[in-house]
Amino acid sequence: MRILHLSDTHLDRFGSPKAGGVNARESLRGLLNDLEPVADIDVIVISGDIADDGSLDAYLSVRDIVRDFALRRQAPVFYSTGNHDERRAFARALGSGHLRPDGRNHAQAMLTSPAGERAAVSMVDGYRFITLDSLVPGMGYGLLGGAQLAWLREVLATPAPMGSVLVLHHPPIALDVEVQHALGLRNPGDLADAIRGTDVRLILCGHFHLQLSGHLESVPVCVTSGVVGRVDLTAPPGTERAVRGASATLVQIGPRGGPLFHTLHARDPRAGETIYELDREQLRTIIDQLGPSARSAPGR
């Protein structure tokens, strides 16, 4: 099983360049064009922040751009929600988030919840793909609620022939970087409890805009870099620098081995140029406004 893992496309309704002159639509098109020679892709996964502004136009654009690529490979495309996404617009454009190459629904089951969380299940060649919804509206961090975790336990109660792959936006692992701890998944222990002793073989995430791998207990976790650029951890501690360079991850998993991860980079002559830099004060403001402490602040 070969999985092409993308994340953080961040398209908006306008299609105009963002900070550093990066055009999200052109970044996605350019990356997929450079990935054209990559053969034998069985599944395409896009792990959240599909839209930067939550607009319907952004979701429709991503769907159409990716569909052309997927059709040539006859590969289904599975989307999950991120903190920039908006569930109603996501549902209008992408439905369950699990699409056949031609855009029709692929999901075998979906979560039904009062919050309208977009979680779904699909089978591909004996592998079970489960997308989870870690979106907390208006916040930067992620959370998996009790109803969704109960649904996940129910799904995993019956093993899949080749095992399960989870896809969610917010990573349950983090480096020793304050912004990652503040804006990652807030309840990784609950997720670990839900998958303990199950057939989950792999967890795929985005959100941090950099390449990172580790484990949630014994399960491998792969965080892929962003399509609109990557975070450069050579910036001074307590600050953040983002640079040009669209990336994706090719994941290979089989019945007797893996997963294996290989980073794929777009051929961008301006790769490494600064998109933005946040000093300590600016980054602190973001953490205070979008982190968990903001939930309990007056007026929230």
Side-chain angles (χ1 to χ4, degrees):
M1 169 66 63
R2 283 163 60 92
I3 307 163
L4 179 63
H5 179 198
L6 291 82
S7 194
D8 296 87
T9 50
H10 283 281
L11 269 68
D12 61 28
R13 74 192 75 191
F14 304 110
S16 55
K18 301 180 187 296
V22 175
N23 184 298
R25 278 179 174 79
E26 293 310 310
S27 186
L28 177 59
R29 287 193 182 102
L31 177 62
L32 293 178
N33 182 67
D34 287 347
L35 296 182
E36 195 64 40
V38 179
D40 303 324
I41 295 172
D42 300 301
V43 173
I44 300 166
V45 164
I46 306 182
S47 56
D49 279 2
I50 312 303
D52 194 61
D53 59 356
S55 67
L56 179 61
D57 287 345
Y59 292 108
L60 293 173
S61 293
V62 173
R63 183 196 66 187
D64 292 347
I65 293 169
V66 175
R67 181 170 57 195
D68 289 343
F69 182 87
L71 270 171
R72 291 192 290 276
R73 287 153 180 79
Q74 286 301 295
V77 187
F78 302 145
Y79 296 88
S80 68
T81 52
N83 51 289
H84 280 263
D85 288 309
E86 201 282 322
R87 287 172 178 145
R88 288 172 296 182
F90 179 102
R92 285 182 64 191
L94 304 175
S96 66
H98 289 217
L99 303 181
R100 299 181 186 278
D102 61 4
R104 292 181 297 122
N105 181 57
H106 191 287
Q108 276 90 45
M110 286 183 60
L111 168 67
T112 301
S113 74
E117 295 152 304
R118 312 308 298 174
V121 182
S122 285
M123 296 293 297
V124 181
D125 297 334
Y127 292 88
R128 179 167 52 197
F129 287 81
I130 305 170
T131 52
L132 299 175
D133 184 344
S134 56
L135 164 64
V136 179
M139 308 307 294
Y141 65 88
L143 188 74
L144 296 172
Q148 189 170 178
L149 289 167
W151 173 84
L152 176 62
R153 288 188 180 94
E154 184 178 346
V155 170
L156 294 174
T158 303
M162 302 299 292
S164 295
V165 177
L166 302 188
V167 182
L168 70 157
H169 186 63
H170 295 85
I173 60 172
L175 295 171
D176 190 18
V177 176
E178 183 181 13
V179 68
Q180 291 187 14
H181 285 283
L183 301 185
L185 186 69
R186 297 305 302 167
N187 58 337
D190 293 339
L191 178 59
D193 289 343
I195 67 174
R196 188 175 294 118
T198 70
D199 69 348
V200 174
R201 299 184 58 184
L202 176 62
I203 301 173
L204 301 177
C205 306
H207 187 50
F208 287 161
H209 288 232
L210 49 76
Q211 207 77 25
L212 179 65
S213 61
H215 288 81
L216 182 66
E217 296 197 343
S218 61
V219 178
V221 179
C222 174
V223 182
T224 196
S225 190
V227 172
V228 293
R230 63 178 178 85
V231 168
D232 177 6
L233 290 181
T234 65
T239 71
E240 182 172 287
R241 178 193 301 128
V243 299
R244 292 180 65 106
S247 301
T249 303
L250 184 64
V251 183
Q252 185 167 310
I253 188 169
R256 289 176 295 278
L260 302 175
F261 308 108
H262 177 65
T263 305
L264 302 164
H265 300 287
R267 296 193 302 274
D268 182 353
R270 297 178 60 188
E273 290 184 10
T274 298
I275 297 174
Y276 67 78
E277 291 187 88
L278 301 174
D279 61 26
R280 289 177 180 271
E281 184 176 344
Q282 291 170 316
L283 194 57
R284 168 51 53 193
T285 298
I286 289 173
I287 292 172
D288 289 345
Q289 290 179 343
L290 300 178
S293 61
R295 269 291 183 198
S296 57
R300 289 275 180 185

